[in-house]
């Protein structure tokens, strides 16, 4: 286990190394700050071990002090130690919160964001299939032991997600054109809606072509129960079949919801602490500001700060900008669909551009490796996030060239770039506003190349999304059908969030948009 004191000592040693090198060059803290576009107080805090800031700062100090890379390598070593500490802390917190249930959440896959355990919910293609996969059969066999069978499904951890558990109560159901599950009176009296754990109430339908599972969020189920004789009847909308798209949303909601609820008070404290940076044009904040938070809560904090930073400075723009975003996997992209502030940010962006004759463009870098290491449900989340952008009149372009992964999140015009990174950033966020010519030229070259070589280049949103579905190896026709069903009903019936910071409005809008395409 990494001791917090060890982290602090490493940070102080790194700051001392900077101070010694600075003094050896005869420079003041103010001199260094001016050369690396920082402030004297930041340099002082770094040297005292109170702050670490971002990697760019250390690279610039290396060059300025001719340190031969020792400051940057020291910073990298500190970050590796910090990441290990966070992983150990999150694992300990997860086990403390969930006890034995934590063991149902498997280790992440090679990349860290697969949906291995939720394959128990899926057929081999994620669609209603006459030949369910062994994973689905396994779930159904578990449910065959008797009515009211209690199962715990793992919504596995990812690169950011801590892992969560979903309790499922499975009951026999019939399909007479409707899905009707029979709930014994003893079970119908349970207060499902009071469960602290996310819970589904599922109906199992057996047919000659294969078994299917249809589920409701426990709160929704409790409101819909109807007593008939000795048993209660539960009508489950057919749209809530457990398949790739509903499993994807459940995976994301379960992980985000649990983490944000558990961190509600410390997250609010961290948000208040972050407010003091809002007046700065440039800031890069280390994980210290969110040291008591889960990785998901740090994501939320960084995302919210970056959205506010862009909104503050977008009012100064006189041209229609190009947006560059860093999401490559469904886990990252799910934040667009589910974080409430992300949807508000898109609405504000669309409002500012409403009177323009031009469409804004948002660019993604999604290399083939990101596609091949993502399970089908995660790829669906990525496609729905792109559909959400298109629903606001933002044209999306995608490059498959991995070298563009290093670009920061940014908003680019001919004269200015608003930088805002929180995904794969060195700290919680890194923001800036720059008009430096060489930097703008680099960004313009990248944007121009991607615009000319987008792997989903087409003249309509429908064709762009269909091309993206092909690139992600998704069944576009099936997706449109399922999006039409889910968009009409909404996903609250199966994945109702508990946290005030989450909303299903974004994913519902994306589904409706896909369904509306000609």
């Amino acid at each position: 286990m990494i001791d917090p004191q060890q982290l602090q000592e490493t940070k102080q040693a790194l700051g001392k190394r900077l101070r010694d090198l600075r003094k050896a060059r005869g420079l003041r803290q103010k001199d260094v700050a001016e050369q690396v576009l920082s402030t004297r107080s930041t340099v002082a805090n770094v040297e005292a071990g109170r702050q670490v800031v971002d990697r760019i700062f250390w690279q610039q100090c290396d060059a300025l002090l001719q340190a031969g890379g020792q400051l940057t390598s020291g910073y990298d070593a500190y970050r590796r130690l910090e990441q290990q500490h966070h992983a150990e802390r999150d694992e300990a917190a997860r086990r403390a919160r969930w006890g034995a249930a934590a063991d149902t959440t498997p280790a992440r896959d090679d990349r860290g964001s697969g949906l291995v355990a939720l394959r128990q919910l899926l057929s081999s293609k994620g669609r209603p299939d006459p030949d369910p996969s062994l994973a689905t059969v396994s779930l159904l066999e578990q449910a065959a032991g008797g009515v009211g069978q209690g199962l715990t499904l793992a919504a596995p951890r990812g690169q950011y997600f801590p892992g969560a558990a979903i309790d499922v109560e499975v009951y026999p159901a019939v399909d007479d054109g409707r899905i009707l599950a029979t709930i014994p009176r003893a079970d119908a009296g349970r207060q499902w809606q009071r469960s602290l754990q996310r819970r589904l109430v599922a109906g199992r339908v057996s047919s000659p072509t294969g078994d299917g599972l249809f589920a409701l969020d426990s709160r929704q189920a409790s409101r819909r129960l109807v007593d008939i004789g000795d048993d209660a009847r539960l009508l489950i909308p057919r749209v809530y079949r457990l398949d790739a798209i509903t499993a994807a949303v459940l995976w994301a909601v379960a992980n985000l919801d649990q983490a944000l609820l558990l961190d509600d008070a410390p997250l609010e404290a961290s948000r208040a602490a972050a407010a003091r940076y809002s007046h700065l044009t440039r800031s890069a904040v280390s994980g210290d500001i969110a040291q008591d938070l889960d990785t998901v809560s740090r994501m939320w904090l960084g995302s919210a700060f970056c959205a506010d930073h862009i909104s503050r400075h977008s009012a100064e723009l006189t041209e229609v900008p190009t947006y560059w975003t860093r999401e490559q996997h469904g886990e990252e992209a799910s934040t667009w669909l589910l974080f409430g502030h992300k949807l508000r940010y898109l609405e504000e962006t669309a409002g500012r551009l409403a009177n323009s004759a031009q469409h804004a463009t948002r660019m993604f870098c999604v290399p083939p490796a990101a596609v091949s290491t993502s399970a089908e449900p995660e790829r669906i989340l990525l496609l729905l996030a792109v559909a959400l952008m298109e629903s606001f009149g933002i044209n999306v372009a995608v490059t498959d060239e991995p070298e563009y992964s290093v670009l920061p999140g940014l908003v680019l015009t001919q004269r200015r770039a608003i930088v805002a990174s929180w995904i794969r950033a060195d700290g919680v966020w890194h923001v800036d506003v720059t008009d430096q010519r060489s930097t703008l030229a680099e960004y313009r070259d990248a944007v121009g190349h991607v615009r000319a070589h987008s792997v989903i280049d087409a003249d309509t949103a429908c064709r762009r999304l269909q091309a993206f579905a092909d690139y992600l190896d998704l069944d576009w026709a099936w997706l449109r059908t399922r999006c039409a069903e889910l968009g009409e009903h909404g996903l609250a019936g199966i994945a109702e969030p508990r946290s005030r910071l989450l909303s299903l409005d974004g994913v519902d809008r994306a589904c409706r948009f896909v369904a509306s395409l000609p």
Side-chain angles (χ1 to χ4, degrees):
M1 293 284 290
I2 302 298
D3 190 293
Q5 183 61 33
Q6 182 182 354
L7 264 183
Q8 182 60 29
E9 290 172 356
T10 304
K11 185 163 56 174
Q12 289 172 341
L14 183 57
K16 182 178 181 299
R17 194 180 311 170
L18 172 62
R19 183 185 64 211
D20 292 345
L21 287 167
R22 172 181 62 78
K23 289 184 173 180
R25 291 283 169 184
L27 298 175
R28 299 170 300 171
Q29 291 174 341
K30 180 182 178 182
D31 299 329
V32 172
E34 289 174 350
Q35 291 298 315
V36 301
L37 303 178
S38 187
T39 64
R40 190 210 61 79
S41 62
T42 295
V43 175
N45 285 334
V46 169
E47 291 187 350
R50 292 189 294 268
Q51 195 174 350
V52 175
V53 300
D54 63 351
R55 196 172 194 271
I56 295 173
F57 173 92
W58 297 99
Q59 289 174 324
Q60 291 173 328
C61 286
D62 259 330
L64 174 65
L65 303 174
Q66 300 178 15
Q70 60 175 296
L71 291 174
T72 305
S73 62
Y75 165 82
D76 291 341
Y78 171 79
R79 284 299 185 209
R80 286 193 296 271
L81 202 65
E82 182 185 51
Q83 288 167 5
Q84 184 180 345
H85 170 65
H86 286 157
E88 291 171 349
R89 184 202 60 197
D90 293 343
E91 177 69 10
R94 189 173 65 88
R95 291 189 174 278
R97 288 161 177 166
W98 297 109
D103 293 328
T104 67
T105 303
R108 66 188 190 181
D109 64 10
D110 288 343
R111 187 192 60 78
S113 61
L115 294 175
V116 179
L118 272 177
R119 288 176 188 154
Q120 294 178 79
L121 301 177
L122 309 178
S123 70
S124 58
K125 294 294 184 182
R127 297 181 284 280
D129 195 313
D131 296 313
S133 70
L134 292 177
T136 306
V137 170
S138 173
L139 175 60
L140 295 171
E141 285 175 348
Q142 291 178 66
V147 296
Q149 175 80 20
L151 305 172
T152 299
L153 298 180
R157 75 185 76 177
Q159 185 174 355
Y160 306 95
F161 290 175
I166 304 174
D167 287 346
V168 186
E169 303 286 342
V170 182
Y171 298 93
V174 295
D175 182 355
D176 62 359
R178 306 165 299 167
I179 306 299
L180 279 172
T182 301
I183 316 292
R185 184 172 295 279
D187 284 359
R190 295 184 185 182
Q191 295 299 306
W192 287 321
Q193 72 273 26
R194 295 186 179 276
S195 173
L196 295 177
Q197 183 101 342
R198 177 164 295 277
R199 186 183 298 270
L200 297 176
V201 180
R204 172 183 173 234
V205 174
S206 297
S207 71
T209 58
D211 289 356
L213 285 171
F214 302 81
L216 282 171
D217 180 87
S218 60
R219 293 184 178 183
Q220 298 274 346
S222 295
R223 292 194 285 266
R224 298 182 188 209
L225 278 176
V226 176
D227 290 336
I228 299 220
D230 293 333
D231 297 325
R233 306 288 293 279
L234 177 63
L235 179 63
I236 304 176
R238 182 182 295 276
V239 66
Y240 296 134
R241 179 168 186 139
L242 292 170
D243 61 9
I245 191 167
T246 49
V249 175
L250 276 168
W251 175 63
V253 169
N255 274 283
L256 295 173
D257 215 18
Q258 171 185 298
L260 292 174
L261 283 171
L262 290 169
D263 280 345
D264 189 68
L267 178 56
E268 188 61 26
S270 293
R271 188 179 187 185
R276 68 176 182 266
Y277 294 92
S278 61
H279 70 283
L280 299 176
T281 300
R282 180 180 191 268
S283 65
V285 176
S286 73
D288 295 356
I289 198 174
Q291 60 183 351
D292 295 325
L293 299 181
D294 182 280
T295 51
V296 164
S297 299
R298 291 197 290 270
M299 286 173 68
W300 187 93
L301 184 64
S303 171
F305 189 91
C306 286
D308 288 344
H309 173 78
I310 292 172
S311 295
R312 284 193 300 272
H313 294 283
S314 289
E316 306 164 9
L317 301 180
T318 57
E319 310 163 46
V320 175
T322 297
Y323 298 84
W324 186 280
T325 193
R326 306 195 86 197
E327 292 85 4
Q328 295 184 341
H329 303 94
E331 182 182 6
E332 300 161 339
S334 68
T335 60
W336 284 105
L337 300 169
L338 298 170
F339 282 177
H341 67 265
K342 302 284 273 187
L343 184 61
R344 293 191 295 273
Y345 164 77
L346 285 174
E347 290 169 342
E348 291 169 6
T349 299
R352 284 195 297 270
L353 301 174
N355 297 322
S356 173
Q358 292 180 276
H359 285 278
T361 301
R362 183 172 287 274
M363 298 185 170
F364 288 74
C365 175
V366 185
V371 178
S372 64
T373 56
S374 296
E376 182 185 24
E378 197 176 3
R379 285 178 271 130
I380 289 173
L381 290 174
L382 184 56
L383 183 133
L384 288 176
V386 169
L388 181 62
M389 312 292 180
E390 291 277 1
S391 77
F392 283 101
I394 299 171
N395 295 350
V396 174
V398 176
T399 179
D400 61 353
E401 299 180 55
E403 53 267 30
Y404 290 110
S405 298
V406 299
L407 260 69
L410 57 90
V411 181
L412 180 67
T413 66
Q414 286 297 315
R415 299 178 180 85
R416 175 172 294 181
I418 304 170
V419 177
S421 291
W422 58 276
I423 292 176
R424 297 189 305 280
D426 288 318
V428 180
W429 72 74
H430 170 221
V431 300
D432 196 2
V433 178
T434 182
D435 56 6
Q436 190 175 36
R437 289 188 178 183
S438 59
T439 301
L440 293 179
E442 177 186 352
Y443 293 159
R444 283 197 297 267
D445 287 349
V447 164
H449 181 84
V450 174
R451 196 186 302 275
H453 300 91
S454 173
V455 297
I456 64 168
D457 184 37
D459 57 357
T460 66
C462 182
R463 291 176 178 173
R464 285 191 292 273
L465 286 171
Q466 185 170 3
F468 197 38
D470 291 342
Y471 179 67
L472 297 175
D473 192 25
L474 297 173
D475 186 327
W476 176 243
W478 173 79
L479 264 176
R480 291 190 64 190
T481 299
R482 287 296 279 136
C483 283
E485 297 167 347
L486 290 166
E488 182 176 355
H489 284 76
L491 279 145
I494 194 171
E496 182 180 8
R498 311 297 195 251
S499 171
R500 62 193 169 89
L501 302 176
L502 296 181
S503 168
L504 293 173
D505 291 345
V507 68
D508 286 345
R509 178 185 174 116
C511 286
R512 290 193 298 270
F513 181 73
V514 170
S516 73
L517 295 172

